[in-house]
Structures are given as C-alpha cells and as structure tokens.
C-alpha cells in the first residue's frame, strides 16, 4: 500500500504595515529636508553670485554685490601700471596721475538678477566669466597727458633703428655686413592701446618688448639679398691677376678693381668695362714696344736709334680687356701674360733679343745673329735711291719664308729661290742675276726696295731664320763702303733678270755717302746687339698707334 506523505503548507509572513509606513515617512521627511536645504541655499543666491563666477578677471564666487564693489575698489587703491622698456628702463603710471576711480552703473546688480537661484547646483562645476567695462574709469585727458610725457616717447631719448648695410671696401678684407641697430623708437598707437587695456583690467605690468611695439629695422644682417651682394662683391674684388712681362710683374687686385664695381638697383653687381679697358690700355702704354724706338749696339761698335718699323710687343687690348672682365666676374685669380696681337723676342732692355738680322743700309752690309752667334754676314744691294725706292729703316719681323717664289711687279715676274719678306712686299732674297753686291750700287742701280743677296748668303739665312725673327734696318753715318770695280762676268752668263722687288713705301732721305768707311767685315770686340753700359739711355718712346683689333 502506497504511503502517502503529508506535506505541510508554509505561509509567508507579511511585513508589519506600521514599519513600512514609518520607513516611507522617513524618506519623505528626508527628501523634504533636502529640498528645503536646496531651496534655502538657492534663495541665498538671490544676494550672492554663483560659485565659479569670474568678473573682469576677479573671482566673485559667493560674494554680494557690495563685496564685489569693495574688492574692485581695493584693487584700485594704490594701483600703479609699470611699463618695462628696452634696455632695462621702466616707467610708471599711477592711479592719482590719471584720476582712476570706481564706477558702478548697476551692471553687477543686473548680473546677479539674471541668476536663477534654483540652478545653483550646476554652477558648482560650471564657470561663468563676465567682462564689464564700466567698473573703473579715468580721465582720458590726464592719461593722454601722462603718455605724452613718457620718456620712451621723448625725441632726445628715442633712437631710430638703422638697417644693416654693406661696408665700404676694406683694404685686405673686402666688404663686410654692418649689422642693424634696433634703436628704441615705439609705435605710439600700439603702446597707447596696450596701456588703456592694461588699466581697464587693472593689470600692473606690461612689457613693450613682448608687446612687439618697437619699430624694426628694414634690413637685417641675415637678409639674403644683402648677403648675396656682399658675397658676390668679395668674390670679384678677391681676384688677383698677376701680369708677367719677363721678370717684371704687374699685380691687379681689389685695391684697384673695387673702384670699377657698383651695385645696381636690382642688387646685381656692375663691373665697369670702360675702366677694365683703361687698365689694359695702361699696360699697353707701359709695356708695348711695337712702333717704338729701339737702341741697337751695332756690329760696328756704335749704337743707333731705330725709330721706324713695327717690331715688338703689342697687346691686343680689346681681346685682353674682354678676358680680364671675364676673369674678374668669374673670380679666377691667376698669373698670366696678356693676349698679344704680336710679340717680341724678349722683355729685357731690347725686345729683339739676340737672334736677329742687322741690316746696315749705309754700308750695304748685313749680319745675321742666332742666339748671339754670327751665322752669316754679307754685302747686299737695297732699294734704288735715285728712283726713290729706298729700303725703309726700321725694326721689323720676318713675315714668313718661301722657297722658289715668283716675285711680281709692274712689267716683271722674277723667280727666286729664297724669299724672306719682312716689311710688306719688301724682303730679303737671292739675286743671282747680280754680279756684285755692296758699295754704292744701290744709289743708282738698286732694287725696288728689297734686299738683294748673293745666293749662298740667302741660302744660309733662309735655312736658319724663322717667322717672327727681327730684321733691324738702319743708316749709320761713317760706315759707307768705298766703291770697288765690278768683276767681268763670265762669257756664258745670261743677261740678268729684271730686279724682283716691289715699290717700297715712302722713306726718309738717304744718308749722303762719305769717303772714309771702315771695313765692313771687321767685327768689333763687343758682342752684337748689346747697348754698351756707357751708352746714353734709350730715348722716350712714342705711344703706340690706336689698336683696331
């Protein structure tokens, strides 16, 4: 038989009603009390400002209007504004000087009335910031008067700023940048505004430097344009050009070239080409020897002055001026020779050196020296005096040499084996058609201006001479040769070919022949071509003719 289990039912006990009512009552009372406290606290904010209330930078939390006014008034008492100026100088503006005082126009009251007292709780973390401009006042005329009297505005105290600038040329240094000076001149309007705002905020100090109230220089040392100009100028004036003229040196440096330079409005550097050209011209005037008189210690022991001809150094002024201009612009210091349109053999006392042909037109005799040694001497026949075909005296350079040339002139064309022109169409050549040379043949039976030589002599000279070697032609009184009878030509000798020369340019009159003449083959003990130490100094040279190239 199945056992049936008795189950007892359990009933939940109910919370006593009296306890529940008591708890509820307590909660209601607590809320009511809290609400009362909140409302009471809120009512206090009808007369005081909320927490975290800032007015004109002052914390007025929990303060009444009167307390705020008192706080403002206390801030004005003893108020002084200090101006910190450049150079450590300070000045002050006091309350009394500008009649600073409090002004209350109801703005504080309006701010307080605008508060909703029941919202005070949210202002425990919320900041309210207000600016009221009418709380302090001053006499504007007094403030203006005070500002006008400030030393920082006085003309005898103020120094205007100066710009950085390029110095003048400094010997041995070139150009430098002179730094700017800041001065202490102020922008008065900027300072006045800052002072007004500081007083309104009862700020006790302002720094004019931090205010950025000082007038700045227009150009500072770090200015890129100024630095570029100075750098470029120094590059160009830093150029040193040493011109070599033998053992003599002419040095051109910034001491001279800085006078040739200027700075354009666009800050580019100008180099005066005319001054460059003038300098090159001065070198030419000093060192050119072409077209100038030359002293020659002749093979006869006497010294002659050769004033004609073109031999010598001649600077190509146009080309050299262009190159010098380029060198300075590029900043390329160097040692150089100028560009020559023609050169001599030596920069020494005699520009013709010790290799030259010496032609004595009076004696009708020549000497050819090479490196100071006599290579050939010979009689010759020069231009016909009677027909005014004189061979011109002067210093020339061999133009070129040519084998087996045909010399052409009016009514003749004559072949020669050795042709050596030195003055236009005037030159030395063999004259095999002549049976005799030297003496006075040239006076009536001379050439058209050329120097006619015996073939053997012409051959020796031709084989040893080169283009550019000097040919020095002169007359020397007292060296005339005595006439000698001409040898009878062999029966088989053909009739001579007409003289192969061209008309010479107009020359000086011939030297009259004298009877007493030294031997033309005798060589003096002194070396050829050297002026004796006791000889007079060479005469002043005439300036070179104008250069066209």
């Amino acid at each position: 038989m199945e056992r049936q289990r008795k189950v007892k039912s359990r009933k939940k006990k109910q919370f006593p009603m009296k306890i529940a009512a008591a708890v509820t009552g307590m909660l209601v009372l607590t809320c009511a009390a809290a609400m009362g406290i909140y409302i009471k606290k809120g009512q206090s904010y009808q007369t005081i400002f909320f927490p975290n209330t800032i007015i004109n930078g002052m914390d007025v939390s929990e303060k009444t209007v009167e307390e705020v006014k008192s706080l403002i008034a206390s801030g004005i008492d003893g108020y002084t504004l200090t101006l910190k100026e450049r150079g450590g100088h300070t000045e002050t503006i006091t309350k009394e000087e500008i009649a600073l005082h409090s002004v209350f126009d109801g703005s504080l009251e309006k701010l307080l009335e605008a508060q909703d007292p029941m919202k005070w709780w949210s202002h425990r973390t919320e900041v309210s910031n207000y600016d009221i401009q009418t709380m302090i006042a001053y006499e504007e005329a007094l403030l203006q008067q005070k500002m006008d009297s400030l030393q920082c505005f006085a003309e005898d105290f103020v120094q205007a700023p100066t710009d950085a600038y390029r110095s003048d040329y400094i010997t041995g240094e070139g150009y430098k940048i002179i730094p700017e000076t800041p001065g202490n001149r102020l922008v008065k309007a900027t300072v006045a505004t800052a002072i007004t705002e500081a007083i309104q905020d009862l700020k006790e100090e302002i720094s004019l430097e931090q205010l950025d109230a000082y007038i700045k220089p227009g150009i500072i040392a770090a200015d890129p344009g100024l630095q570029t100009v100075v750098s470029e100028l120094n590059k160009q004036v830093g150029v040193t050009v040493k011109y070599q003229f033998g053992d003599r040196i002419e040095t051109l440096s910034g001491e001279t070239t800085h006078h040739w330079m200027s700075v354009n409005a666009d800050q580019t550097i100008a180099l005066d080409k005319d001054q460059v050209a003038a300098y090159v011209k001065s070198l030419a005037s000093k060192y050119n020897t072409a077209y100038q008189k030359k002293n020659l210690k002749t093979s006869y022991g006497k010294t002659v002055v050769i004033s004609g001809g073109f031999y010598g150094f001649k600077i190509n002024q146009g080309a050299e001026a262009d190159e010098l201009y380029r060198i300075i612009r590029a900043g390329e210091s160097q040692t150089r020779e100028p560009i020559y349109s023609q050169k001599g053999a030596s920069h020494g006392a005699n520009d013709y050196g010790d290799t030259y042909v010496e032609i004595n037109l009076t004696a009708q005799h020549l000497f050819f020296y090479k490196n100071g040694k006599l290579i050939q001497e010979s009689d010759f026949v020069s231009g016909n005096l009677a027909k005014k075909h004189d061979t011109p005296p002067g210093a020339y350079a061999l133009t070129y040499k040519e084998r087996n040339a045909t010399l052409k002139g009016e009514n003749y064309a004559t072949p020669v084996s050795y042709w050596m022109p030195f003055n236009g169409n005037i030159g030395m050549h063999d004259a095999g058609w002549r049976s005799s040379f030297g003496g006075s043949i040239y006076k009536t039976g001379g050439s058209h201006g050329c120097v006619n030589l015996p073939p053997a002599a012409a051959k020796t000279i031709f084989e040893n001479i080169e283009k550019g070697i000097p040919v020095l032609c002169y007359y020397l009184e007292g060296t005339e040769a005595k006439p000698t009878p001409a040898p009878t030509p062999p029966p088989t000798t053909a009739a001579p070919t007409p003289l192969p020369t061209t008309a010479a340019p107009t020359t000086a009159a011939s030297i009259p022949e004298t009877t007493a003449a030294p031997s033309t083959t005798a060589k003096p003990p002194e070396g050829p071509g050297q002026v004796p130490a006791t000889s007079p100094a060479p005469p002043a040279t005439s300036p070179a003719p104008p250069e066209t190239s």
Side-chain angles (χ1 to χ4, degrees):
M1 179 175 191
E2 181 177 358
R3 180 182 293 181
Q4 294 183 349
R5 182 181 299 174
K6 265 186 187 178
V7 179
K8 294 182 178 180
S9 62
R10 295 181 181 179
K11 293 184 179 179
K12 188 174 183 181
K13 295 182 179 180
Q14 294 183 350
F15 193 78
M17 293 296 294
K18 289 182 179 181
I19 295 175
V23 172
T24 301
M26 289 179 65
L27 288 173
V28 170
L29 288 174
T30 300
C31 291
M35 182 61 69
I37 294 171
Y38 184 87
I39 293 171
K40 186 176 180 180
K41 181 67 175 177
Q43 288 175 343
S44 70
Y45 286 111
Q46 292 177 348
T47 58
I48 62 174
F49 288 99
F50 282 147
N52 296 313
T53 299
I54 308 296
I55 298 178
N56 284 14
M58 294 182 296
D59 187 357
V60 297
S61 303
E62 309 289 340
K63 289 182 172 56
T64 66
V65 169
E66 293 304 317
E67 287 174 332
V68 173
K69 288 181 178 180
S70 178
L71 183 63
I72 293 171
S74 66
I76 294 176
D77 290 340
Y79 173 75
T80 298
L81 174 62
T82 300
L83 307 180
K84 297 181 68 175
E85 301 169 3
R86 182 170 283 175
H89 186 69
T90 61
E91 296 188 75
T92 60
I93 300 175
T94 66
K95 168 189 173 183
E96 292 74 20
E97 288 174 320
I98 61 174
L100 184 66
H101 59 281
S102 300
V103 174
F104 303 108
D105 59 355
S107 297
L108 289 173
E109 288 81 356
K110 290 179 181 179
L111 285 177
L112 188 62
E113 290 174 2
Q115 292 184 164
D116 184 351
M118 293 302 104
K119 295 182 178 180
W120 66 271
W121 183 262
S122 63
H123 285 274
R124 294 172 64 251
T125 57
E126 179 182 336
V127 177
S128 299
N129 203 328
Y130 303 100
D131 286 318
I132 298 175
Q133 300 298 324
T134 59
M135 298 184 68
I136 58 174
Y138 53 84
E139 295 292 336
E140 291 187 2
L142 291 177
L143 178 58
Q144 186 62 53
Q145 181 179 336
K146 176 60 181 178
M147 286 194 293
D148 289 343
S149 68
L150 291 172
Q151 187 180 29
C152 62
F153 294 131
E155 285 301 320
D156 59 350
F157 175 78
V158 170
Q159 293 181 344
T162 61
D163 293 346
Y165 64 95
R166 180 186 73 254
S167 72
D168 291 333
Y169 179 80
I170 303 170
T171 299
E173 297 184 43
Y175 294 91
K176 289 184 175 181
I177 293 178
I178 307 301
E180 71 280 4
T181 58
N184 60 359
R185 186 176 292 279
L186 292 159
V187 180
K188 195 169 185 178
T190 301
V191 177
T193 299
I195 289 174
T196 300
E197 292 176 351
I199 292 172
Q200 289 173 346
D201 293 338
L202 295 180
K203 192 174 180 179
E204 295 182 348
E205 180 182 280
I206 57 174
S207 168
L208 301 187
E209 198 78 70
Q210 293 178 1
L211 187 62
D212 200 22
Y214 288 98
I215 296 175
K216 296 180 178 65
I219 301 174
I220 61 174
D223 180 78
L226 179 60
Q227 290 190 337
T228 297
V229 167
V230 170
S231 176
E232 185 62 26
L233 279 171
N234 283 334
K235 183 185 83 171
Q236 296 188 35
V237 299
V239 171
T240 297
V241 180
K242 293 183 178 181
Y243 279 101
Q244 285 188 320
F245 299 93
D247 58 358
R248 299 173 68 182
I249 300 290
E250 290 283 343
T251 301
L252 175 66
S253 68
E255 301 300 304
T256 298
T257 58
H258 82 271
H259 295 295
W260 306 350
M261 296 178 188
S262 59
V263 180
N264 297 320
D266 62 356
Q267 300 302 296
T268 56
I269 309 303
L271 177 59
D272 191 333
K273 288 187 175 181
D274 291 340
Q275 299 232 42
V276 175
Y279 176 77
V280 174
K281 184 177 181 180
S282 72
L283 293 180
S285 297
K286 188 173 182 179
Y287 291 101
N288 277 1
T289 60
Y291 302 96
Q292 296 184 12
K293 294 178 181 179
K294 306 180 192 305
N295 288 351
L296 172 66
K297 170 70 178 300
T298 69
S299 298
Y300 300 87
K302 295 182 178 180
T303 297
V304 294
V305 177
I306 302 174
S307 57
F310 54 82
Y311 182 83
F313 290 95
K314 183 182 178 184
I315 296 174
N316 186 331
Q317 295 185 42
E320 183 56 32
D322 288 344
E323 181 60 12
L324 179 57
Y325 181 90
R326 186 201 66 77
I327 289 169
I328 295 173
R329 283 299 212 186
E332 298 175 355
S333 295
Q334 57 189 262
T335 298
R336 62 182 280 102
E337 281 193 337
I339 299 171
Y340 289 103
S341 56
Q342 64 181 58
K343 286 187 174 183
S346 169
H347 285 288
N350 298 313
D351 62 359
Y352 46 81
D354 60 1
T355 297
Y356 57 86
V357 179
E358 175 187 340
I359 297 179
N360 185 339
L361 296 169
T362 303
Q364 293 286 285
H365 195 80
L366 65 73
F367 304 84
F368 176 32
Y369 295 97
K370 191 169 185 177
N371 298 322
K373 296 181 179 179
L374 183 64
I375 299 297
Q376 178 70 52
E377 67 173 299
S378 173
D379 286 339
F380 61 81
V381 177
S382 62
N384 192 318
L385 291 184
K387 295 183 177 180
K388 298 183 179 181
H389 292 162
D390 313 37
T391 301
Y396 308 98
L398 191 72
T399 310
Y400 61 91
K401 64 179 184 178
E402 183 180 355
R403 278 286 273 131
N404 302 320
T406 298
L407 308 182
K408 297 180 180 180
E410 187 177 354
N411 299 321
Y412 71 85
T414 303
V416 296
S417 297
Y418 309 101
W419 170 231
M420 296 166 280
F422 58 82
N423 179 15
N425 289 328
I426 295 175
M428 297 176 287
H429 61 80
D430 54 300
W433 58 87
R434 287 190 182 275
S435 58
S436 60
F437 297 87
S440 58
I441 298 171
Y442 73 104
K443 294 184 177 180
T444 56
S447 70
H448 285 82
C450 282
V451 175
N452 291 181
L453 291 166
K459 179 178 184 295
T460 299
I461 293 172
F462 186 92
E463 290 174 348
N464 289 275
I465 202 168
E466 299 296 337
K467 174 184 176 180
I469 285 179
V471 179
L472 309 176
C473 304
Y474 61 87
Y475 287 99
L476 180 60
E477 188 174 353
T479 60
E480 296 86 349
K482 293 182 179 180
T484 55
T488 303
T492 57
T493 301
T497 307
L499 192 62
T501 58
T502 59
T506 304
T507 63
S510 60
I511 306 299
E513 184 176 12
T514 60
T515 55
S519 170
T520 59
T521 59
K523 186 180 179 190
E526 295 89 358
Q530 302 300 316
V531 179
T534 57
S535 299
T541 58
S542 57
E547 187 156 54
T548 57
S549 60

